[in-house]
Amino acid sequence: MSTDRTRPAGRRDQSGPRSAPSGPRSASNGPRSAPNGPRQVPPQRSRRPHPHRPLRPHQWFAERLLAVLSGQRPVHWMLGHTIGEAYDQLAELAPSTPLRATHGTRPVLRHCRGAQPATGVVEAFASIAAGDRVRAMAFRLEQGADQRWRCAAVELGGERLTTGAPGPR
């Protein structure tokens, strides 16, 4: 057993893990070489088309609304991100957790799209899946004078979330 703690036990070479071998590999220590030379391996690509692209405002809000309406986050988490009656609507609906997990399956955001009908306004919709159930959510974002986006209205499954009206159960 090796006493050197910088490399795994049994490793004999002095190079680090990121160095490439200098010559062709033999059959005993790697893949076989092709008759015409070493096999070329194409570079691996990420499954996401843009892995480091920041979320757009409607995608960010969809994730936050899902967290509140599924009971993963408290409604006051949206306090600074709502205007008008949107916070009251969320506060009324959140205790019933209409997007809660079903049969142990945590709800996930499937699709989220947005349209900009006017400058500083985004109307968005999202589909949310939890197990075999799929729910629809629509919301409106408005950009304030401080250039921050805030949620102004929310609809869930075709029913408008209004203060005083019972939500879907």
Side-chain angles (χ1 to χ4, degrees), residues 11-40:
R11 185 170 176 168
R12 295 183 185 138
D13 64 336
Q14 297 297 319
S15 63
R18 293 185 183 247
S19 64
S22 59
R25 293 181 174 193
S26 67
S28 63
N29 66 356
R32 293 184 196 169
S33 297
N36 298 343
R39 185 177 72 171
Q40 297 295 323

Side-chain angles (χ1 to χ4, degrees), residues 1-64:
M1 184 165 142
S2 175
T3 58
D4 186 356
R5 296 183 190 267
T6 60
R7 61 180 177 257
R11 185 170 176 168
R12 295 183 185 138
D13 64 336
Q14 297 297 319
S15 63
R18 293 185 183 247
S19 64
S22 59
R25 293 181 174 193
S26 67
S28 63
N29 66 356
R32 293 184 196 169
S33 297
N36 298 343
R39 185 177 72 171
Q40 297 295 323
V41 178
Q44 292 183 353
R45 295 182 183 199
S46 172
R47 290 182 183 187
R48 292 179 55 193
H50 304 285
H52 299 292
R53 176 184 282 178
L55 293 177
R56 294 183 174 166
H58 61 277
Q59 294 167 325
W60 186 83
F61 271 91
E63 291 284 349
R64 291 181 81 89

Side-chain angles (χ1 to χ4, degrees), residues 114-124 139-142 149:
Q116 194 166 7
T119 303
V121 175
V122 172
E123 292 181 347
F139 54 97
R140 179 182 174 99
L141 303 177
E142 295 179 3
W149 291 97

Side-chain angles (χ1 to χ4, degrees), residues 51-157:
H52 299 292
R53 176 184 282 178
L55 293 177
R56 294 183 174 166
H58 61 277
Q59 294 167 325
W60 186 83
F61 271 91
E63 291 284 349
R64 291 181 81 89
L65 289 169
L66 172 60
V68 170
L69 295 174
S70 65
Q72 297 171 26
R73 292 287 187 166
V75 71
H76 68 265
W77 195 49
M78 292 293 292
L79 189 58
H81 303 289
T82 56
I83 57 174
E85 293 184 22
Y87 181 79
D88 295 334
Q89 293 168 350
L90 288 172
E92 182 79 23
L93 187 65
S96 67
T97 58
L99 299 176
R100 68 186 166 273
T102 58
H103 306 293
T105 305
R106 182 177 169 180
V108 293
L109 185 65
R110 288 180 52 191
H111 300 285
C112 184
R113 303 279 190 266
Q116 194 166 7
T119 303
V121 175
V122 172
E123 292 181 347
F125 66 92
S127 63
I128 296 151
D132 58 351
R133 285 182 60 191
V134 178
R135 299 285 306 264
M137 177 173 62
F139 54 97
R140 179 182 174 99
L141 303 177
E142 295 179 3
Q143 193 172 29
D146 60 357
Q147 301 301 307
R148 291 181 55 201
W149 291 97
R150 291 180 179 85
C151 184
V154 179
E155 289 186 21
L156 186 63

